[in-house]
Amino acid sequence: MKPTTSRIEGRTGETANARPTLKTIAYMTGLGVTTVSRALKDAPDIAEHTKERVRLVAKQLGYMPNRAGVRLRTGKTNVIALILNLEEEIMGMAGQMIFGISEILADTPYHLVLMPQPIHHDQMTPVRYILDTGSADGVIISRIEPDDPRIKLMRERGMPFAAHGRTDGSIDYPFHDFDNDAYAFDAVEMLAGRGRRRIVSLQPPSHLTYYKYFRSGFERGLSQFSLEETPLTSISTDSPLTEIRSGMLATLRSSHPPDAVIACSGSSAIPIMAALRDCNLTLGREVDVVAKQPADFLNWINPELIAMSEDFSQAGRELARAVLARIDNAGSKPLQSISKPDWSKAPAARTRENS
């Protein structure tokens, strides 16, 4: 005896649990398969009311194009690959960027595929894999170097991409960046207004381009406000949190300790605050700390910390728009954007005497 199967509107040969296809939508709408296909592609010769009807039925059925079939027909994967270091996820940076990218891709046929990239592994490996396998139509990369070999290779191979950061020299590719020069200068200016004189910076690794921008703003601020730098070269924002805590402890216990700290990442603020506590120093009294944050919660830990918000969701949206524009027209002018520091939620400036 054959098992009983549930059928769609009495159809034979197709169960209710079967994956919906163009034929399914054609049957439900009374249209031809070709008309349904062209309606879903927003063909200009298909009436708008027909397209709306087809889209509604497709949505109700949960229809998704078969990516293998799409690739066979068009040579496209409908995939955007995001190559991202996840070691900053302690502060939610990766999640926010993914959310921003996904917002833009939601109304497109593209899907986001995340490729985690450990900091100390070969940065070229995932890019070569994508290029050699043709597993994505576009790529988004981060942690940009002054002469980044990934950008050079993707340009040579004609792969649409967008970069979270800038290289040196002529920049003629899509990117979104954060103004680390402005962040560092603003931070120094704010600390000078609080009466601080000796500043230590926990800065990015020197091989990344944004280190140069950070140092430019930091040094300009020190010079303009006649402040002194307390050197700290043994650790960077890439260092493990335990090493950041140990490095800050040694600096704070030195014969010429700083009275202010600027951190170029949000996660590093946690070991910095731990080091202050271990030295019996009160944040906002003996020492001020300025740090970036991708989410507004550092001040939940300590309201005296001067937290600057960097919007990684916006970065994701800008990067998604940039890579999609390049996919649509490889010869188009690259979309480029730079976001400014947002100090709107930082504690109001005050002098040390009034704190």
Side-chain angles (χ1 to χ4, degrees), residues 64-65 70 106 117 137 140 186 273 295 303 347:
M64 293 291 290
V70 170
Q117 175 63 63
D137 297 329
I140 297 173
D186 290 350
M273 287 189 284

Side-chain angles (χ1 to χ4, degrees), residues 173-247:
Y173 59 85
F175 72 82
H176 176 78
D177 203 0
F178 174 77
D179 194 340
N180 283 283
D181 182 294
Y183 165 67
F185 181 86
D186 290 350
V188 173
E189 181 178 27
M190 192 171 296
L191 292 169
R194 293 177 171 225
R196 303 304 179 181
R197 307 307 305 167
R198 298 182 305 280
I199 305 177
V200 63
S201 66
L202 181 63
Q203 50 205 13
S206 60
H207 69 278
L208 299 180
T209 314
Y210 83 106
Y211 166 85
K212 178 189 72 173
Y213 290 111
F214 177 84
R215 287 298 306 180
S216 173
F218 182 64
E219 292 172 6
R220 193 171 74 256
L222 293 179
S223 175
Q224 181 163 328
F225 300 105
S226 302
L227 305 184
E228 176 185 346
E229 178 180 9
T230 299
L232 179 63
T233 57
S234 60
I235 54 176
S236 74
T237 53
D238 273 5
S239 300
L241 299 185
T242 54
E243 292 184 14
I244 292 175
R245 177 175 170 272
S246 298

Side-chain angles (χ1 to χ4, degrees), residues 90-354:
I90 186 174
M91 296 299 291
M93 179 271 278
Q96 288 198 33
M97 182 173 287
I98 291 168
F99 178 78
I101 295 171
S102 300
E103 275 191 295
I104 301 303
L105 298 187
D107 295 326
T108 76
Y110 290 96
H111 303 267
L112 180 65
V113 172
L114 177 64
M115 300 184 70
Q117 175 63 63
I119 288 177
H120 300 296
H121 288 209
D122 182 5
Q123 303 293 302
M124 294 294 290
T125 299
V127 172
R128 290 196 189 99
Y129 174 83
I130 293 168
L131 292 172
D132 293 343
T133 61
S135 52
D137 297 329
V139 180
I140 297 173
I141 59 173
S142 61
R143 296 178 61 82
I144 308 303
E145 300 178 5
D147 186 21
D148 202 299
R150 297 170 297 173
I151 290 176
K152 181 180 180 181
L153 181 61
M154 286 191 287
R155 292 177 65 183
E156 289 174 351
R157 300 278 289 271
M159 169 61 73
F161 72 93
H164 188 213
R166 291 167 281 173
T167 55
D168 276 344
S170 175
I171 300 175
D172 59 353
Y173 59 85
F175 72 82
H176 176 78
D177 203 0
F178 174 77
D179 194 340
N180 283 283
D181 182 294
Y183 165 67
F185 181 86
D186 290 350
V188 173
E189 181 178 27
M190 192 171 296
L191 292 169
R194 293 177 171 225
R196 303 304 179 181
R197 307 307 305 167
R198 298 182 305 280
I199 305 177
V200 63
S201 66
L202 181 63
Q203 50 205 13
S206 60
H207 69 278
L208 299 180
T209 314
Y210 83 106
Y211 166 85
K212 178 189 72 173
Y213 290 111
F214 177 84
R215 287 298 306 180
S216 173
F218 182 64
E219 292 172 6
R220 193 171 74 256
L222 293 179
S223 175
Q224 181 163 328
F225 300 105
S226 302
L227 305 184
E228 176 185 346
E229 178 180 9
T230 299
L232 179 63
T233 57
S234 60
I235 54 176
S236 74
T237 53
D238 273 5
S239 300
L241 299 185
T242 54
E243 292 184 14
I244 292 175
R245 177 175 170 272
S246 298
M248 285 304 306
L249 275 172
T251 301
L252 292 168
R253 289 170 175 170
S254 66
S255 59
H256 201 56
D259 57 10
V261 183
I262 300 175
C264 213
S265 73
S267 58
S268 60
I270 297 172
I272 289 171
M273 287 189 284
L276 291 175
R277 183 195 60 219
D278 292 343
C279 293
N280 294 316
L281 297 171
T282 303
L283 181 61
R285 185 176 299 169
E286 290 94 355
V287 180
D288 272 317
V289 175
V290 181
K292 292 182 183 180
Q293 62 173 356
D296 298 330
F297 61 78
L298 278 177
N299 288 127
W300 296 358
I301 302 172
N302 194 317
E304 292 297 325
L305 187 139
I306 307 168
M308 186 284 307
S309 299
E310 181 176 357
D311 191 341
F312 283 97
S313 295
Q314 178 63 21
R317 289 189 288 270
E318 296 293 343
L319 290 166
R321 292 187 186 104
V323 74
L324 288 176
R326 210 61 161 176
I327 291 171
D328 291 341
N329 184 355
S332 63
K333 183 177 180 180
L335 296 181
Q336 301 173 341
S337 55
I338 300 175
S339 60
K340 296 293 183 181
D342 177 9
W343 298 97
S344 62
K345 297 182 180 179
R350 65 186 186 280
T351 64
R352 181 169 51 180
E353 290 76 12
N354 293 330

